Each structure stands twice: as structure tokens, then as C-alpha cells.
Amino acid sequence: MILGGVSVVGQVPAGYYDGASGLSGAPLKSALSHIIRIRPSNPTLTQ
């Protein structure tokens, strides 16, 4: 993927979305929001 002229290549670490597994609707939205807040950047992404 190219973002603003910067190539971004990466893979989500194992277990990254475990907190959202099996959820739907509002609980899923809340879990994903929490994941994003506590892990604002993915260390496996490279620029």
C-alpha cells in the first residue's frame, strides 16, 4: 500500500485482535476502539 508517497508493508501481530473475537455490534466497536487506544501504532509496519 502507498500512503502519501510512503510504502507501508506489514502484518498484524498474532493475537492483535483477540479482544474483539466473537463480538458484534456495540461491544465489537468498543473492543476495537480499546485496541486502537492501547496500541496506537503497529510496530511491525515499516516505512
PDB file of all heavy atoms in Angstrom:
ATOM      1  N   MET A   1       0.845  -1.169   0.000  1.00  0.00           N
ATOM      2  CA  MET A   1       0.000   0.000   0.000  1.00  0.00           C
ATOM      3  C   MET A   1       0.897   1.240   0.000  1.00  0.00           C
ATOM      4  O   MET A   1       1.919   1.268   0.647  1.00  0.00           O
ATOM      5  CB  MET A   1      -0.899  -0.015   1.235  1.00  0.00           C
ATOM      6  CG  MET A   1      -1.749   1.197   1.355  1.00  0.00           C
ATOM      7  SD  MET A   1      -2.833   1.366   2.815  1.00  0.00           S
ATOM      8  CE  MET A   1      -2.903  -0.195   3.545  1.00  0.00           C
ATOM      9  N   ILE A   2       0.500   2.253  -0.728  1.00  0.00           N
ATOM     10  CA  ILE A   2       1.243   3.505  -0.774  1.00  0.00           C
ATOM     11  C   ILE A   2       0.396   4.592  -0.104  1.00  0.00           C
ATOM     12  O   ILE A   2      -0.748   4.816  -0.475  1.00  0.00           O
ATOM     13  CB  ILE A   2       1.562   3.924  -2.229  1.00  0.00           C
ATOM     14  CG1 ILE A   2       2.336   2.837  -2.966  1.00  0.00           C
ATOM     15  CG2 ILE A   2       2.295   5.249  -2.248  1.00  0.00           C
ATOM     16  CD1 ILE A   2       3.742   2.648  -2.513  1.00  0.00           C
ATOM     17  N   LEU A   3       0.962   5.244   0.888  1.00  0.00           N
ATOM     18  CA  LEU A   3       0.281   6.336   1.595  1.00  0.00           C
ATOM     19  C   LEU A   3       1.139   7.583   1.498  1.00  0.00           C
ATOM     20  O   LEU A   3       2.201   7.648   2.097  1.00  0.00           O
ATOM     21  CB  LEU A   3       0.057   5.984   3.065  1.00  0.00           C
ATOM     22  CG  LEU A   3      -0.829   4.788   3.367  1.00  0.00           C
ATOM     23  CD1 LEU A   3      -0.838   4.499   4.858  1.00  0.00           C
ATOM     24  CD2 LEU A   3      -2.241   5.051   2.891  1.00  0.00           C
ATOM     25  N   GLY A   4       0.682   8.568   0.745  1.00  0.00           N
ATOM     26  CA  GLY A   4       1.415   9.821   0.654  1.00  0.00           C
ATOM     27  C   GLY A   4       2.856   9.650   0.201  1.00  0.00           C
ATOM     28  O   GLY A   4       3.739  10.333   0.688  1.00  0.00           O
ATOM     29  N   GLY A   5       3.099   8.713  -0.705  1.00  0.00           N
ATOM     30  CA  GLY A   5       4.442   8.504  -1.201  1.00  0.00           C
ATOM     31  C   GLY A   5       5.301   7.600  -0.329  1.00  0.00           C
ATOM     32  O   GLY A   5       6.447   7.345  -0.636  1.00  0.00           O
ATOM     33  N   VAL A   6       4.758   7.103   0.779  1.00  0.00           N
ATOM     34  CA  VAL A   6       5.497   6.217   1.680  1.00  0.00           C
ATOM     35  C   VAL A   6       4.912   4.820   1.532  1.00  0.00           C
ATOM     36  O   VAL A   6       3.717   4.622   1.670  1.00  0.00           O
ATOM     37  CB  VAL A   6       5.388   6.678   3.152  1.00  0.00           C
ATOM     38  CG1 VAL A   6       6.077   5.694   4.080  1.00  0.00           C
ATOM     39  CG2 VAL A   6       5.956   8.068   3.310  1.00  0.00           C
ATOM     40  N   SER A   7       5.761   3.864   1.256  1.00  0.00           N
ATOM     41  CA  SER A   7       5.312   2.485   1.131  1.00  0.00           C
ATOM     42  C   SER A   7       5.162   1.884   2.525  1.00  0.00           C
ATOM     43  O   SER A   7       6.077   1.941   3.334  1.00  0.00           O
ATOM     44  CB  SER A   7       6.323   1.679   0.322  1.00  0.00           C
ATOM     45  OG  SER A   7       5.903   0.344   0.221  1.00  0.00           O
ATOM     46  N   VAL A   8       4.000   1.304   2.800  1.00  0.00           N
ATOM     47  CA  VAL A   8       3.741   0.700   4.102  1.00  0.00           C
ATOM     48  C   VAL A   8       3.469  -0.780   3.886  1.00  0.00           C
ATOM     49  O   VAL A   8       2.535  -1.149   3.195  1.00  0.00           O
ATOM     50  CB  VAL A   8       2.535   1.360   4.797  1.00  0.00           C
ATOM     51  CG1 VAL A   8       2.267   0.706   6.137  1.00  0.00           C
ATOM     52  CG2 VAL A   8       2.767   2.851   4.961  1.00  0.00           C
ATOM     53  N   VAL A   9       4.310  -1.603   4.498  1.00  0.00           N
ATOM     54  CA  VAL A   9       4.164  -3.049   4.382  1.00  0.00           C
ATOM     55  C   VAL A   9       4.216  -3.614   5.793  1.00  0.00           C
ATOM     56  O   VAL A   9       5.071  -3.255   6.583  1.00  0.00           O
ATOM     57  CB  VAL A   9       5.298  -3.665   3.548  1.00  0.00           C
ATOM     58  CG1 VAL A   9       5.158  -5.172   3.470  1.00  0.00           C
ATOM     59  CG2 VAL A   9       5.353  -3.034   2.169  1.00  0.00           C
ATOM     60  N   GLY A  10       3.286  -4.489   6.113  1.00  0.00           N
ATOM     61  CA  GLY A  10       3.313  -5.055   7.455  1.00  0.00           C
ATOM     62  C   GLY A  10       2.244  -6.102   7.642  1.00  0.00           C
ATOM     63  O   GLY A  10       1.397  -6.310   6.783  1.00  0.00           O
ATOM     64  N   GLN A  11       2.302  -6.716   8.771  1.00  0.00           N
ATOM     65  CA  GLN A  11       1.357  -7.756   9.111  1.00  0.00           C
ATOM     66  C   GLN A  11       0.954  -7.554  10.570  1.00  0.00           C
ATOM     67  O   GLN A  11       1.780  -7.204  11.405  1.00  0.00           O
ATOM     68  CB  GLN A  11       2.030  -9.114   8.925  1.00  0.00           C
ATOM     69  CG  GLN A  11       1.089 -10.255   8.842  1.00  0.00           C
ATOM     70  CD  GLN A  11       1.827 -11.517   8.402  1.00  0.00           C
ATOM     71  OE1 GLN A  11       3.039 -11.606   8.496  1.00  0.00           O
ATOM     72  NE2 GLN A  11       1.084 -12.482   7.938  1.00  0.00           N
ATOM     73  N   VAL A  12      -0.304  -7.769  10.847  1.00  0.00           N
ATOM     74  CA  VAL A  12      -0.802  -7.628  12.215  1.00  0.00           C
ATOM     75  C   VAL A  12      -0.202  -8.758  13.055  1.00  0.00           C
ATOM     76  O   VAL A  12      -0.239  -9.917  12.661  1.00  0.00           O
ATOM     77  CB  VAL A  12      -2.344  -7.689  12.245  1.00  0.00           C
ATOM     78  CG1 VAL A  12      -2.863  -7.642  13.668  1.00  0.00           C
ATOM     79  CG2 VAL A  12      -2.924  -6.558  11.418  1.00  0.00           C
ATOM     80  N   PRO A  13       0.370  -8.423  14.234  1.00  0.00           N
ATOM     81  CA  PRO A  13       0.939  -9.472  15.091  1.00  0.00           C
ATOM     82  C   PRO A  13      -0.124 -10.463  15.558  1.00  0.00           C
ATOM     83  O   PRO A  13      -1.292 -10.109  15.716  1.00  0.00           O
ATOM     84  CB  PRO A  13       1.483  -8.698  16.303  1.00  0.00           C
ATOM     85  CG  PRO A  13       1.525  -7.279  15.906  1.00  0.00           C
ATOM     86  CD  PRO A  13       0.518  -7.100  14.808  1.00  0.00           C
ATOM     87  N   ALA A  14       0.287 -11.694  15.785  1.00  0.00           N
ATOM     88  CA  ALA A  14      -0.622 -12.725  16.289  1.00  0.00           C
ATOM     89  C   ALA A  14      -1.278 -12.242  17.581  1.00  0.00           C
ATOM     90  O   ALA A  14      -0.614 -11.677  18.446  1.00  0.00           O
ATOM     91  CB  ALA A  14       0.138 -14.020  16.539  1.00  0.00           C
ATOM     92  N   GLY A  15      -2.575 -12.418  17.693  1.00  0.00           N
ATOM     93  CA  GLY A  15      -3.293 -12.043  18.909  1.00  0.00           C
ATOM     94  C   GLY A  15      -3.708 -10.591  18.976  1.00  0.00           C
ATOM     95  O   GLY A  15      -4.357 -10.178  19.939  1.00  0.00           O
ATOM     96  N   TYR A  16      -3.368  -9.798  17.972  1.00  0.00           N
ATOM     97  CA  TYR A  16      -3.648  -8.355  17.999  1.00  0.00           C
ATOM     98  C   TYR A  16      -5.132  -8.066  18.214  1.00  0.00           C
ATOM     99  O   TYR A  16      -5.491  -7.156  18.944  1.00  0.00           O
ATOM    100  CB  TYR A  16      -3.163  -7.726  16.697  1.00  0.00           C
ATOM    101  CG  TYR A  16      -3.159  -6.217  16.696  1.00  0.00           C
ATOM    102  CD1 TYR A  16      -2.114  -5.512  17.275  1.00  0.00           C
ATOM    103  CD2 TYR A  16      -4.190  -5.497  16.117  1.00  0.00           C
ATOM    104  CE1 TYR A  16      -2.085  -4.124  17.270  1.00  0.00           C
ATOM    105  CE2 TYR A  16      -4.173  -4.115  16.108  1.00  0.00           C
ATOM    106  CZ  TYR A  16      -3.118  -3.436  16.676  1.00  0.00           C
ATOM    107  OH  TYR A  16      -3.100  -2.072  16.671  1.00  0.00           O
ATOM    108  N   TYR A  17      -6.000  -8.838  17.577  1.00  0.00           N
ATOM    109  CA  TYR A  17      -7.440  -8.594  17.661  1.00  0.00           C
ATOM    110  C   TYR A  17      -8.164  -9.584  18.569  1.00  0.00           C
ATOM    111  O   TYR A  17      -9.387  -9.676  18.536  1.00  0.00           O
ATOM    112  CB  TYR A  17      -8.067  -8.636  16.262  1.00  0.00           C
ATOM    113  CG  TYR A  17      -7.668  -7.467  15.396  1.00  0.00           C
ATOM    114  CD1 TYR A  17      -6.836  -7.648  14.299  1.00  0.00           C
ATOM    115  CD2 TYR A  17      -8.113  -6.190  15.677  1.00  0.00           C
ATOM    116  CE1 TYR A  17      -6.457  -6.582  13.500  1.00  0.00           C
ATOM    117  CE2 TYR A  17      -7.746  -5.109  14.891  1.00  0.00           C
ATOM    118  CZ  TYR A  17      -6.923  -5.311  13.805  1.00  0.00           C
ATOM    119  OH  TYR A  17      -6.562  -4.263  13.029  1.00  0.00           O
ATOM    120  N   ASP A  18      -7.447 -10.306  19.400  1.00  0.00           N
ATOM    121  CA  ASP A  18      -8.082 -11.302  20.263  1.00  0.00           C
ATOM    122  C   ASP A  18      -9.183 -10.711  21.140  1.00  0.00           C
ATOM    123  O   ASP A  18     -10.189 -11.365  21.393  1.00  0.00           O
ATOM    124  CB  ASP A  18      -7.047 -11.999  21.150  1.00  0.00           C
ATOM    125  CG  ASP A  18      -6.233 -13.035  20.395  1.00  0.00           C
ATOM    126  OD1 ASP A  18      -6.526 -13.279  19.196  1.00  0.00           O
ATOM    127  OD2 ASP A  18      -5.300 -13.580  20.991  1.00  0.00           O
ATOM    128  N   GLY A  19      -9.017  -9.492  21.585  1.00  0.00           N
ATOM    129  CA  GLY A  19     -10.017  -8.860  22.447  1.00  0.00           C
ATOM    130  C   GLY A  19     -11.343  -8.605  21.750  1.00  0.00           C
ATOM    131  O   GLY A  19     -12.363  -8.382  22.401  1.00  0.00           O
ATOM    132  N   ALA A  20     -11.354  -8.664  20.412  1.00  0.00           N
ATOM    133  CA  ALA A  20     -12.577  -8.417  19.653  1.00  0.00           C
ATOM    134  C   ALA A  20     -13.187  -9.711  19.124  1.00  0.00           C
ATOM    135  O   ALA A  20     -14.269  -9.687  18.545  1.00  0.00           O
ATOM    136  CB  ALA A  20     -12.277  -7.480  18.490  1.00  0.00           C
ATOM    137  N   SER A  21     -12.543 -10.810  19.362  1.00  0.00           N
ATOM    138  CA  SER A  21     -13.009 -12.100  18.846  1.00  0.00           C
ATOM    139  C   SER A  21     -14.379 -12.469  19.403  1.00  0.00           C
ATOM    140  O   SER A  21     -14.609 -12.401  20.610  1.00  0.00           O
ATOM    141  CB  SER A  21     -11.994 -13.184  19.212  1.00  0.00           C
ATOM    142  OG  SER A  21     -12.414 -14.431  18.743  1.00  0.00           O
ATOM    143  N   GLY A  22     -15.281 -12.835  18.501  1.00  0.00           N
ATOM    144  CA  GLY A  22     -16.611 -13.285  18.901  1.00  0.00           C
ATOM    145  C   GLY A  22     -17.592 -12.178  19.230  1.00  0.00           C
ATOM    146  O   GLY A  22     -18.726 -12.460  19.602  1.00  0.00           O
ATOM    147  N   LEU A  23     -17.184 -10.933  19.107  1.00  0.00           N
ATOM    148  CA  LEU A  23     -18.073  -9.814  19.436  1.00  0.00           C
ATOM    149  C   LEU A  23     -18.754  -9.284  18.177  1.00  0.00           C
ATOM    150  O   LEU A  23     -18.274  -9.487  17.070  1.00  0.00           O
ATOM    151  CB  LEU A  23     -17.274  -8.681  20.088  1.00  0.00           C
ATOM    152  CG  LEU A  23     -16.529  -9.014  21.374  1.00  0.00           C
ATOM    153  CD1 LEU A  23     -15.725  -7.812  21.854  1.00  0.00           C
ATOM    154  CD2 LEU A  23     -17.495  -9.477  22.445  1.00  0.00           C
ATOM    155  N   SER A  24     -19.849  -8.566  18.368  1.00  0.00           N
ATOM    156  CA  SER A  24     -20.521  -7.883  17.267  1.00  0.00           C
ATOM    157  C   SER A  24     -21.216  -6.651  17.814  1.00  0.00           C
ATOM    158  O   SER A  24     -21.384  -6.496  19.022  1.00  0.00           O
ATOM    159  CB  SER A  24     -21.529  -8.812  16.586  1.00  0.00           C
ATOM    160  OG  SER A  24     -22.559  -9.164  17.482  1.00  0.00           O
ATOM    161  N   GLY A  25     -21.598  -5.771  16.916  1.00  0.00           N
ATOM    162  CA  GLY A  25     -22.318  -4.571  17.306  1.00  0.00           C
ATOM    163  C   GLY A  25     -21.505  -3.649  18.205  1.00  0.00           C
ATOM    164  O   GLY A  25     -20.296  -3.490  18.034  1.00  0.00           O
ATOM    165  N   ALA A  26     -22.182  -3.057  19.192  1.00  0.00           N
ATOM    166  CA  ALA A  26     -21.549  -2.095  20.091  1.00  0.00           C
ATOM    167  C   ALA A  26     -20.360  -2.680  20.870  1.00  0.00           C
ATOM    168  O   ALA A  26     -19.328  -2.007  21.003  1.00  0.00           O
ATOM    169  CB  ALA A  26     -22.567  -1.501  21.049  1.00  0.00           C
ATOM    170  N   PRO A  27     -20.448  -3.919  21.370  1.00  0.00           N
ATOM    171  CA  PRO A  27     -19.283  -4.475  22.069  1.00  0.00           C
ATOM    172  C   PRO A  27     -18.053  -4.608  21.158  1.00  0.00           C
ATOM    173  O   PRO A  27     -16.923  -4.381  21.585  1.00  0.00           O
ATOM    174  CB  PRO A  27     -19.758  -5.847  22.544  1.00  0.00           C
ATOM    175  CG  PRO A  27     -21.237  -5.705  22.663  1.00  0.00           C
ATOM    176  CD  PRO A  27     -21.615  -4.793  21.517  1.00  0.00           C
ATOM    177  N   LEU A  28     -18.267  -4.951  19.878  1.00  0.00           N
ATOM    178  CA  LEU A  28     -17.159  -5.043  18.927  1.00  0.00           C
ATOM    179  C   LEU A  28     -16.543  -3.665  18.700  1.00  0.00           C
ATOM    180  O   LEU A  28     -15.318  -3.504  18.724  1.00  0.00           O
ATOM    181  CB  LEU A  28     -17.635  -5.625  17.597  1.00  0.00           C
ATOM    182  CG  LEU A  28     -16.606  -5.645  16.474  1.00  0.00           C
ATOM    183  CD1 LEU A  28     -15.391  -6.470  16.862  1.00  0.00           C
ATOM    184  CD2 LEU A  28     -17.237  -6.171  15.187  1.00  0.00           C
ATOM    185  N   LYS A  29     -17.384  -2.677  18.506  1.00  0.00           N
ATOM    186  CA  LYS A  29     -16.904  -1.311  18.293  1.00  0.00           C
ATOM    187  C   LYS A  29     -16.090  -0.841  19.496  1.00  0.00           C
ATOM    188  O   LYS A  29     -15.024  -0.247  19.346  1.00  0.00           O
ATOM    189  CB  LYS A  29     -18.091  -0.373  18.054  1.00  0.00           C
ATOM    190  CG  LYS A  29     -17.690   1.037  17.741  1.00  0.00           C
ATOM    191  CD  LYS A  29     -18.914   1.894  17.437  1.00  0.00           C
ATOM    192  CE  LYS A  29     -18.516   3.324  17.180  1.00  0.00           C
ATOM    193  NZ  LYS A  29     -19.673   4.170  16.896  1.00  0.00           N
ATOM    194  N   SER A  30     -16.562  -1.110  20.676  1.00  0.00           N
ATOM    195  CA  SER A  30     -15.864  -0.731  21.893  1.00  0.00           C
ATOM    196  C   SER A  30     -14.520  -1.446  22.018  1.00  0.00           C
ATOM    197  O   SER A  30     -13.503  -0.829  22.355  1.00  0.00           O
ATOM    198  CB  SER A  30     -16.743  -1.042  23.104  1.00  0.00           C
ATOM    199  OG  SER A  30     -16.087  -0.713  24.293  1.00  0.00           O
ATOM    200  N   ALA A  31     -14.504  -2.753  21.733  1.00  0.00           N
ATOM    201  CA  ALA A  31     -13.262  -3.528  21.828  1.00  0.00           C
ATOM    202  C   ALA A  31     -12.227  -3.027  20.826  1.00  0.00           C
ATOM    203  O   ALA A  31     -11.047  -2.873  21.164  1.00  0.00           O
ATOM    204  CB  ALA A  31     -13.546  -5.009  21.608  1.00  0.00           C
ATOM    205  N   LEU A  32     -12.641  -2.753  19.600  1.00  0.00           N
ATOM    206  CA  LEU A  32     -11.704  -2.252  18.590  1.00  0.00           C
ATOM    207  C   LEU A  32     -11.187  -0.871  18.956  1.00  0.00           C
ATOM    208  O   LEU A  32     -10.006  -0.569  18.774  1.00  0.00           O
ATOM    209  CB  LEU A  32     -12.370  -2.238  17.213  1.00  0.00           C
ATOM    210  CG  LEU A  32     -12.681  -3.608  16.625  1.00  0.00           C
ATOM    211  CD1 LEU A  32     -13.450  -3.461  15.316  1.00  0.00           C
ATOM    212  CD2 LEU A  32     -11.422  -4.430  16.433  1.00  0.00           C
ATOM    213  N   SER A  33     -12.056  -0.044  19.491  1.00  0.00           N
ATOM    214  CA  SER A  33     -11.634   1.278  19.944  1.00  0.00           C
ATOM    215  C   SER A  33     -10.569   1.157  21.031  1.00  0.00           C
ATOM    216  O   SER A  33      -9.567   1.871  21.026  1.00  0.00           O
ATOM    217  CB  SER A  33     -12.843   2.060  20.456  1.00  0.00           C
ATOM    218  OG  SER A  33     -12.451   3.313  20.945  1.00  0.00           O
ATOM    219  N   HIS A  34     -10.770   0.233  21.946  1.00  0.00           N
ATOM    220  CA  HIS A  34      -9.804  -0.001  23.030  1.00  0.00           C
ATOM    221  C   HIS A  34      -8.470  -0.493  22.465  1.00  0.00           C
ATOM    222  O   HIS A  34      -7.408  -0.020  22.874  1.00  0.00           O
ATOM    223  CB  HIS A  34     -10.370  -1.004  24.030  1.00  0.00           C
ATOM    224  CG  HIS A  34      -9.428  -1.326  25.146  1.00  0.00           C
ATOM    225  ND1 HIS A  34      -9.129  -0.424  26.140  1.00  0.00           N
ATOM    226  CD2 HIS A  34      -8.697  -2.427  25.403  1.00  0.00           C
ATOM    227  CE1 HIS A  34      -8.252  -0.973  26.966  1.00  0.00           C
ATOM    228  NE2 HIS A  34      -7.977  -2.196  26.540  1.00  0.00           N
ATOM    229  N   ILE A  35      -8.524  -1.419  21.520  1.00  0.00           N
ATOM    230  CA  ILE A  35      -7.302  -1.934  20.904  1.00  0.00           C
ATOM    231  C   ILE A  35      -6.525  -0.801  20.253  1.00  0.00           C
ATOM    232  O   ILE A  35      -5.300  -0.696  20.401  1.00  0.00           O
ATOM    233  CB  ILE A  35      -7.640  -3.035  19.868  1.00  0.00           C
ATOM    234  CG1 ILE A  35      -8.139  -4.292  20.586  1.00  0.00           C
ATOM    235  CG2 ILE A  35      -6.436  -3.351  18.987  1.00  0.00           C
ATOM    236  CD1 ILE A  35      -8.772  -5.325  19.668  1.00  0.00           C
ATOM    237  N   ILE A  36      -7.213   0.062  19.546  1.00  0.00           N
ATOM    238  CA  ILE A  36      -6.562   1.194  18.876  1.00  0.00           C
ATOM    239  C   ILE A  36      -5.956   2.154  19.892  1.00  0.00           C
ATOM    240  O   ILE A  36      -4.839   2.647  19.709  1.00  0.00           O
ATOM    241  CB  ILE A  36      -7.555   1.922  17.951  1.00  0.00           C
ATOM    242  CG1 ILE A  36      -7.923   1.008  16.787  1.00  0.00           C
ATOM    243  CG2 ILE A  36      -6.993   3.244  17.469  1.00  0.00           C
ATOM    244  CD1 ILE A  36      -9.119   1.464  15.992  1.00  0.00           C
ATOM    245  N   ARG A  37      -6.667   2.416  20.994  1.00  0.00           N
ATOM    246  CA  ARG A  37      -6.151   3.340  22.016  1.00  0.00           C
ATOM    247  C   ARG A  37      -4.908   2.798  22.706  1.00  0.00           C
ATOM    248  O   ARG A  37      -3.964   3.539  22.968  1.00  0.00           O
ATOM    249  CB  ARG A  37      -7.230   3.631  23.066  1.00  0.00           C
ATOM    250  CG  ARG A  37      -8.223   4.673  22.648  1.00  0.00           C
ATOM    251  CD  ARG A  37      -9.041   5.195  23.828  1.00  0.00           C
ATOM    252  NE  ARG A  37      -9.506   4.158  24.733  1.00  0.00           N
ATOM    253  CZ  ARG A  37     -10.641   3.478  24.605  1.00  0.00           C
ATOM    254  NH1 ARG A  37     -11.431   3.705  23.591  1.00  0.00           N
ATOM    255  NH2 ARG A  37     -10.979   2.577  25.491  1.00  0.00           N
ATOM    256  N   ILE A  38      -4.881   1.502  23.028  1.00  0.00           N
ATOM    257  CA  ILE A  38      -3.741   0.971  23.785  1.00  0.00           C
ATOM    258  C   ILE A  38      -2.581   0.575  22.869  1.00  0.00           C
ATOM    259  O   ILE A  38      -1.476   0.422  23.331  1.00  0.00           O
ATOM    260  CB  ILE A  38      -4.131  -0.220  24.682  1.00  0.00           C
ATOM    261  CG1 ILE A  38      -4.609  -1.411  23.859  1.00  0.00           C
ATOM    262  CG2 ILE A  38      -5.143   0.205  25.727  1.00  0.00           C
ATOM    263  CD1 ILE A  38      -4.763  -2.675  24.661  1.00  0.00           C
ATOM    264  N   ARG A  39      -2.855   0.428  21.580  1.00  0.00           N
ATOM    265  CA  ARG A  39      -1.805   0.077  20.610  1.00  0.00           C
ATOM    266  C   ARG A  39      -1.918   1.048  19.434  1.00  0.00           C
ATOM    267  O   ARG A  39      -2.323   0.660  18.348  1.00  0.00           O
ATOM    268  CB  ARG A  39      -1.990  -1.350  20.121  1.00  0.00           C
ATOM    269  CG  ARG A  39      -1.954  -2.355  21.238  1.00  0.00           C
ATOM    270  CD  ARG A  39      -2.196  -3.733  20.691  1.00  0.00           C
ATOM    271  NE  ARG A  39      -2.504  -4.620  21.796  1.00  0.00           N
ATOM    272  CZ  ARG A  39      -3.102  -5.774  21.681  1.00  0.00           C
ATOM    273  NH1 ARG A  39      -3.474  -6.204  20.503  1.00  0.00           N
ATOM    274  NH2 ARG A  39      -3.335  -6.521  22.725  1.00  0.00           N
ATOM    275  N   PRO A  40      -1.530   2.302  19.627  1.00  0.00           N
ATOM    276  CA  PRO A  40      -1.744   3.309  18.583  1.00  0.00           C
ATOM    277  C   PRO A  40      -0.923   3.089  17.332  1.00  0.00           C
ATOM    278  O   PRO A  40      -1.273   3.561  16.276  1.00  0.00           O
ATOM    279  CB  PRO A  40      -1.363   4.621  19.253  1.00  0.00           C
ATOM    280  CG  PRO A  40      -0.452   4.221  20.358  1.00  0.00           C
ATOM    281  CD  PRO A  40      -0.928   2.868  20.808  1.00  0.00           C
ATOM    282  N   SER A  41       0.174   2.353  17.426  1.00  0.00           N
ATOM    283  CA  SER A  41       0.944   2.083  16.219  1.00  0.00           C
ATOM    284  C   SER A  41       1.322   0.619  16.193  1.00  0.00           C
ATOM    285  O   SER A  41       1.490  -0.015  17.235  1.00  0.00           O
ATOM    286  CB  SER A  41       2.198   2.949  16.172  1.00  0.00           C
ATOM    287  OG  SER A  41       3.051   2.643  17.253  1.00  0.00           O
ATOM    288  N   ASN A  42       1.444   0.112  15.005  1.00  0.00           N
ATOM    289  CA  ASN A  42       1.793  -1.292  14.831  1.00  0.00           C
ATOM    290  C   ASN A  42       3.297  -1.385  14.605  1.00  0.00           C
ATOM    291  O   ASN A  42       3.786  -0.943  13.593  1.00  0.00           O
ATOM    292  CB  ASN A  42       1.022  -1.858  13.637  1.00  0.00           C
ATOM    293  CG  ASN A  42       1.253  -3.316  13.430  1.00  0.00           C
ATOM    294  OD1 ASN A  42       2.217  -3.863  13.914  1.00  0.00           O
ATOM    295  ND2 ASN A  42       0.377  -3.950  12.681  1.00  0.00           N
ATOM    296  N   PRO A  43       4.040  -1.950  15.549  1.00  0.00           N
ATOM    297  CA  PRO A  43       5.488  -1.989  15.414  1.00  0.00           C
ATOM    298  C   PRO A  43       5.982  -2.824  14.249  1.00  0.00           C
ATOM    299  O   PRO A  43       7.123  -2.720  13.857  1.00  0.00           O
ATOM    300  CB  PRO A  43       5.953  -2.586  16.746  1.00  0.00           C
ATOM    301  CG  PRO A  43       4.777  -3.324  17.262  1.00  0.00           C
ATOM    302  CD  PRO A  43       3.562  -2.590  16.739  1.00  0.00           C
ATOM    303  N   THR A  44       5.112  -3.631  13.640  1.00  0.00           N
ATOM    304  CA  THR A  44       5.544  -4.440  12.506  1.00  0.00           C
ATOM    305  C   THR A  44       5.481  -3.680  11.198  1.00  0.00           C
ATOM    306  O   THR A  44       5.961  -4.152  10.177  1.00  0.00           O
ATOM    307  CB  THR A  44       4.711  -5.735  12.383  1.00  0.00           C
ATOM    308  OG1 THR A  44       3.364  -5.382  12.109  1.00  0.00           O
ATOM    309  CG2 THR A  44       4.803  -6.569  13.638  1.00  0.00           C
ATOM    310  N   LEU A  45       4.874  -2.488  11.201  1.00  0.00           N
ATOM    311  CA  LEU A  45       4.819  -1.696   9.982  1.00  0.00           C
ATOM    312  C   LEU A  45       6.155  -1.000   9.768  1.00  0.00           C
ATOM    313  O   LEU A  45       6.765  -0.495  10.694  1.00  0.00           O
ATOM    314  CB  LEU A  45       3.697  -0.642  10.053  1.00  0.00           C
ATOM    315  CG  LEU A  45       2.275  -1.172  10.142  1.00  0.00           C
ATOM    316  CD1 LEU A  45       1.298  -0.015  10.215  1.00  0.00           C
ATOM    317  CD2 LEU A  45       1.935  -2.049   8.959  1.00  0.00           C
ATOM    318  N   THR A  46       6.575  -0.963   8.525  1.00  0.00           N
ATOM    319  CA  THR A  46       7.818  -0.284   8.200  1.00  0.00           C
ATOM    320  C   THR A  46       7.555   0.807   7.198  1.00  0.00           C
ATOM    321  O   THR A  46       6.614   0.726   6.413  1.00  0.00           O
ATOM    322  CB  THR A  46       8.847  -1.277   7.618  1.00  0.00           C
ATOM    323  OG1 THR A  46       8.278  -1.895   6.467  1.00  0.00           O
ATOM    324  CG2 THR A  46       9.245  -2.328   8.644  1.00  0.00           C
ATOM    325  N   GLN A  47       8.367   1.830   7.237  1.00  0.00           N
ATOM    326  CA  GLN A  47       8.215   2.938   6.275  1.00  0.00           C
ATOM    327  C   GLN A  47       9.312   2.889   5.246  1.00  0.00           C
ATOM    328  O   GLN A  47      10.376   2.465   5.488  1.00  0.00           O
ATOM    329  CB  GLN A  47       8.257   4.277   6.988  1.00  0.00           C
ATOM    330  CG  GLN A  47       7.093   4.473   7.886  1.00  0.00           C
ATOM    331  CD  GLN A  47       7.084   5.857   8.512  1.00  0.00           C
ATOM    332  OE1 GLN A  47       7.983   6.656   8.282  1.00  0.00           O
ATOM    333  NE2 GLN A  47       6.078   6.145   9.276  1.00  0.00           N
TER     334      GLN A  47
END
